[in-house]
Amino acid sequence: MSRRTDFLDTARVAAGLLRDPALARDWDKPSALPEFSVAGLAGHFAYQVLALPAILDGPIPPELPISLLEHYGRVEWVGADLDHDLNVRIRDSGEQAATEGPAALADQVDAAIADLAGRLPETPDRPVRIPFWGPWSLSLEDLLVTRMMELTVHADDLAVSIGVPTPEFPVSAVESVLDLLSRLALRRRGAPAMLRALTRAERAPGDITAF
């Protein structure tokens, strides 16, 4: 399957979670993530889809795209404290996206998916940028991997927060996400830790997280 198809299928699964009645029930409660309400987490989750139409409508950045590993080496939120300005901004933007409630948020995501389903398959690969990252770009193909990572990881956060099963995402999308996360973890933790975690339970390290 193509990465565009994987992203759209992943977004549709995510949209289904936003329609779960448990989300509306727990909307104003704390989430499983520190400092995030359920509403704010849902807004941040939805943003991973909602950002795409505006990005595609924007001008093509002049710089050449960097690699995914270089991108995650530059973003300020990796390893930052909860009260870092960027993390505060991420939480605030999630709350802002959720201000109209769960039904309106789900409607916005459904509309964005419908728009993207008509455009993404025919959009050439090109540099794209999310402005608050910094002055660099990714290829559209790589951007879609970052959004699938955010959707699959935060789907679990949101499902745990509202007490429902974590959705099942397309296998090929999960493979792309795990490829990214394993490469980031390898860079952070080193080869022995990764190999032991995957093959030697008796010597496996307690932590091989990518971030």
Side-chain angles (χ1 to χ4, degrees):
M1 297 178 71
S2 75
R3 193 160 287 171
R4 317 297 176 90
T5 300
D6 280 345
F7 171 78
L8 289 169
D9 289 344
T10 299
R12 292 183 182 107
V13 174
L17 182 58
L18 291 173
R19 295 284 184 189
D20 195 296
L23 181 64
R25 179 197 67 202
D26 294 340
W27 190 248
D28 296 319
K29 295 181 180 179
S31 79
L33 293 186
E35 305 298 329
F36 258 120
S37 69
V38 167
L41 178 55
H44 179 62
F45 180 61
Y47 174 78
Q48 313 312 320
V49 178
L50 297 177
L52 263 292
I55 289 171
L56 294 180
D57 288 340
I60 297 177
E63 67 272 4
L64 292 174
I66 64 174
S67 71
L68 280 173
L69 289 183
E70 187 175 357
H71 166 68
Y72 284 105
R74 292 186 186 188
V75 288
E76 294 183 43
W77 58 262
V78 173
D81 294 335
L82 286 173
D83 59 356
H84 186 282
D85 288 347
L86 185 55
N87 282 331
V88 172
R89 181 177 177 181
I90 288 170
R91 293 195 297 272
D92 288 348
S93 64
E95 296 286 350
Q96 182 63 35
T99 52
E100 296 183 20
L105 186 65
D107 287 345
Q108 292 168 28
V109 170
D110 286 345
I113 292 171
D115 175 40
L116 293 167
R119 286 205 283 170
L120 267 183
E122 305 302 324
T123 301
D125 197 19
R126 44 159 281 196
V128 290
R129 183 199 293 175
I130 293 181
F132 65 78
W133 284 345
W136 67 85
S137 299
L138 292 175
S139 69
L140 175 58
E141 292 288 301
D142 282 347
L143 175 70
L144 294 178
V145 175
T146 71
R147 297 312 91 190
M148 288 191 289
M149 186 272 286
E150 295 280 348
L151 287 170
T152 53
V153 170
H154 287 312
D156 185 53
D157 295 329
L158 193 56
V160 169
S161 299
I162 62 177
V164 300
T166 300
E168 292 191 14
F169 289 94
V171 171
S172 52
V174 174
E175 288 173 346
S176 293
V177 170
L178 290 177
D179 177 68
L180 169 63
L181 292 175
S182 63
R183 286 189 287 142
L184 291 169
L186 176 62
R187 181 171 69 180
R188 184 182 185 197
R189 305 294 181 179
M194 295 295 291
L195 291 168
R196 289 168 183 167
L198 294 171
T199 64
R200 293 291 181 261
E202 69 276 11
R203 296 197 299 275
D207 185 1
I208 58 165
T209 51
F211 301 119

